[in-house]
Amino acid sequence: MTEADHQHYRDVPFDVPTGVERVTVILSYDKTNKTVIDMGVRDPAVFRGWSGGTRDRFTISPSDASPGYLAGVIPAGRWRVILGVPNARGGSRSTYTVSVFFDRGKARRASAAIADPPLKDAPGWYRGDLHMHDANSDGSCLSQSGKRVPCPLFRTVEAAAKAGLDFVAVTDHNTVAHFGGLRELQPWFDRLLLIPGVEVTTFSGHANIFAPSHFVDFRVGGKDVPNVGALERKVAEAGAIMSINHPALPSGELCMGCGWTWPATDYAGVTAIEAVNGAMAEGPLAGVGFWYARLNEGHRLTGIGGSDNHDPDAPPGKAPIGRPTTVVHAEALSTPAILAGIRAGNVFIDVEGSHDRLLELQAVSGTINAVMGQTLPLSGALELKVHVVGMSGGNIQVISNGSPLEPLQAPVTMADQWSSFTLDRASACGWISATVLTGSHPKLIGNPIYIRCA
């Protein structure tokens, strides 16, 4: 840019090929001479947005866009970045670069270019709620005058922040309309990771998908999604992971399609099961039994929990945000790291949504050890080490292939306690987990360690 560009506009054209799902543009320029360059964009037909000098990059996709830009279909053809120059001093010369990135097919260069850095770049246990709704589907709350109204997204996110969570997934039914709002809110909520999600609501079951790159058709049984296997493939193509929600609920007029009744489900395309939905951590409506049954069939599925909150002001008895909490061991507080942590399975469910309770498992056989989600080849006896924090007065119960081993229990007498159990081969083979109870009520539910017996 030179003095001739002062208070003028310049177009930078670029061509978008067919099949692009996201466009990200980054502007960089020399500011040493007080040159200022504003930025916007138009597609082949319409103006798509303007951010001026507020930001140096923006993204546009059918599901979401940066603040100031319009989400929508990405038409192929000639696009133009619009550069406005409110200031270019006499005699100055400032170089600039406009970089354009596309998501197309399996390539996700545009998503990578707009990705936020981790909120915390360190491994650790991160606490979150993986199931909630707002005004973009059926969430509601009381308005300023006390009327029940569709509840704005920011109220849900605000309540999650006040609950002290590290991450949440907002999972409105069959829509990605909230994705842009999450993108707008994330910079302000810089201690709370906002994961875009969708509750895919079908006639024979509900499932959450986390961090899809685009809308996933929910119409299982139709032409484009003939069966659940096709849905799973579309979820994978969108770069998301899938969790079956409240699978043990009844299905019918009282709860349309709430239980999971799809025949011939290929669980290889499923990552997790919502073992605890809201307050349902035990009894026939809880998802724990459904999850354990799938584990016994040989499927490796991570047990998670979600409040299924529909009102950010819900009292403790009405599924408040963060109760239950899914606690994930992840390499960082970022969407890719949390999803990788769920896949890996080093996860436990804090049923009451505390801020500090901890459940860690370690299985040892010979010189080899494993943690939740990992596989351990058995050689001789198995030692299970259970680390519990914040559950003094509770009781540790060892679970073998879905059934409690009654002799293998230990009272929790300290605020921070390690307990060890020795399992013979008959009890160890298959999978092992641990639950911490108060009385007969589960408070912490651990994921399995898989024991391979030759």
Side-chain angles (χ1 to χ4, degrees):
M1 296 295 181
T2 66
E3 181 182 5
D5 296 297
H6 179 70
Q7 296 187 356
H8 284 74
Y9 296 99
R10 175 179 291 187
D11 286 356
V12 179
F14 64 96
D15 292 321
V16 174
T18 301
V20 168
E21 297 177 1
R22 180 181 295 276
V23 174
T24 297
V25 174
I26 299 176
L27 170 66
S28 60
Y29 65 95
D30 181 4
K31 302 178 183 179
T32 56
N33 294 314
K34 302 296 183 181
T35 297
V36 177
I37 304 178
D38 296 339
M39 178 171 57
V41 72
R42 65 176 295 120
D43 70 20
V46 299
F47 185 72
R48 295 297 288 267
W50 182 261
S51 52
T54 301
R55 52 181 55 86
D56 67 352
R57 65 195 63 199
F58 65 82
T59 193
I60 297 175
S61 79
S63 63
D64 63 88
S66 297
Y69 293 83
L70 299 176
V73 173
I74 306 296
R78 176 63 55 91
W79 288 51
R80 298 180 185 276
V81 173
I82 305 167
L83 301 180
V85 187
N87 191 61
R89 286 179 172 178
S92 67
R93 185 177 184 84
S94 298
T95 59
Y96 69 91
T97 301
V98 175
S99 302
V100 181
F101 304 90
F102 300 138
D103 280 0
R104 188 184 187 202
K106 295 183 179 180
R108 291 288 182 265
R109 298 186 65 209
S111 293
I114 201 67
D116 294 321
L119 298 188
K120 293 182 182 178
D121 195 8
W125 289 102
Y126 293 107
R127 315 180 79 85
D129 190 338
L130 290 167
H131 192 168
M132 59 187 63
H133 302 275
D134 65 280
N136 288 285
S137 59
D138 54 349
S140 66
C141 58
L142 297 182
S143 69
Q144 290 181 320
S145 62
K147 299 177 182 177
R148 184 151 293 277
V149 297
C151 203
L153 175 62
F154 85 90
R155 290 281 286 106
T156 294
V157 176
E158 186 176 58
K162 289 180 179 178
L165 298 174
D166 298 308
F167 65 89
V168 292
V170 182
T171 54
D172 284 310
H173 295 279
N174 297 340
T175 183
V176 294
H178 53 297
F179 283 20
L182 292 172
R183 188 176 290 282
E184 178 183 356
L185 291 170
Q186 184 65 87
W188 197 89
F189 289 94
D190 56 0
R191 293 194 294 267
L192 175 66
L193 178 67
L194 307 180
I195 300 174
V198 176
E199 183 167 15
V200 177
T201 308
T202 78
F203 296 136
S204 296
H206 299 183
N208 276 344
I209 61 174
F210 303 119
S213 61
H214 55 256
F215 171 76
V216 174
D217 195 340
F218 58 90
R219 296 171 295 173
V220 178
K223 176 182 177 182
D224 295 329
V225 194
N227 50 46
V228 172
L231 173 64
E232 292 173 357
R233 288 190 292 275
K234 288 182 177 294
V235 170
E237 289 167 1
I241 63 173
M242 177 174 168
S243 171
I244 295 175
N245 292 344
H246 40 69
L249 286 183
S251 290
E253 290 185 352
L254 292 178
C255 194
M256 299 293 290
C258 287
W260 191 262
T261 59
W262 281 111
T265 300
D266 181 5
Y267 288 97
V270 178
T271 299
I273 300 290
E274 191 180 63
V276 181
N277 174 274
M280 293 183 292
E282 53 192 308
L285 299 184
V288 175
F290 183 96
W291 172 41
Y292 283 179
R294 304 293 81 74
L295 293 175
N296 286 340
E297 292 170 354
H299 307 294
R300 298 198 173 191
L301 301 162
T302 302
I304 62 174
S307 67
D308 202 355
N309 177 270
H310 286 69
D311 181 350
D313 301 317
K318 297 290 185 178
I321 289 173
R323 183 169 182 167
T325 298
T326 300
V327 190
V328 179
H329 195 277
E331 291 303 307
L333 184 55
S334 68
T335 295
I338 294 297
L339 266 57
I342 294 172
R343 287 190 187 98
N346 197 3
V347 174
F348 70 91
I349 303 166
D350 185 339
V351 174
E352 294 183 330
S354 76
H355 296 286
D356 54 4
R357 289 176 178 173
L358 180 64
L359 174 61
E360 294 182 290
L361 273 66
Q362 183 180 28
V364 181
S365 182
T367 59
I368 304 175
N369 62 72
V371 297
M372 290 184 289
Q374 294 182 339
T375 300
L376 180 72
L378 188 65
S379 59
L382 177 77
E383 183 182 10
L384 183 68
K385 299 179 180 180
V386 182
H387 183 208
V388 177
V389 175
M391 280 299 303
S392 183
N395 189 56
I396 301 169
Q397 185 178 69
V398 177
I399 306 294
S400 172
N401 300 309
S403 299
L405 295 175
E406 297 299 339
L408 297 185
Q409 299 191 33
V412 182
T413 59
M414 296 181 289
D416 188 330
Q417 176 175 318
W418 281 91
S419 300
S420 294
F421 305 89
T422 300
L423 285 72
D424 59 25
R425 185 181 184 86
S427 298
C429 293
W431 60 271
I432 299 294
S433 68
T435 297
V436 183
L437 306 98
T438 298
S440 61
H441 304 297
K443 303 299 181 182
L444 304 178
I445 300 173
N447 265 272
I449 298 174
Y450 301 96
I451 310 301
R452 187 172 69 239
C453 298

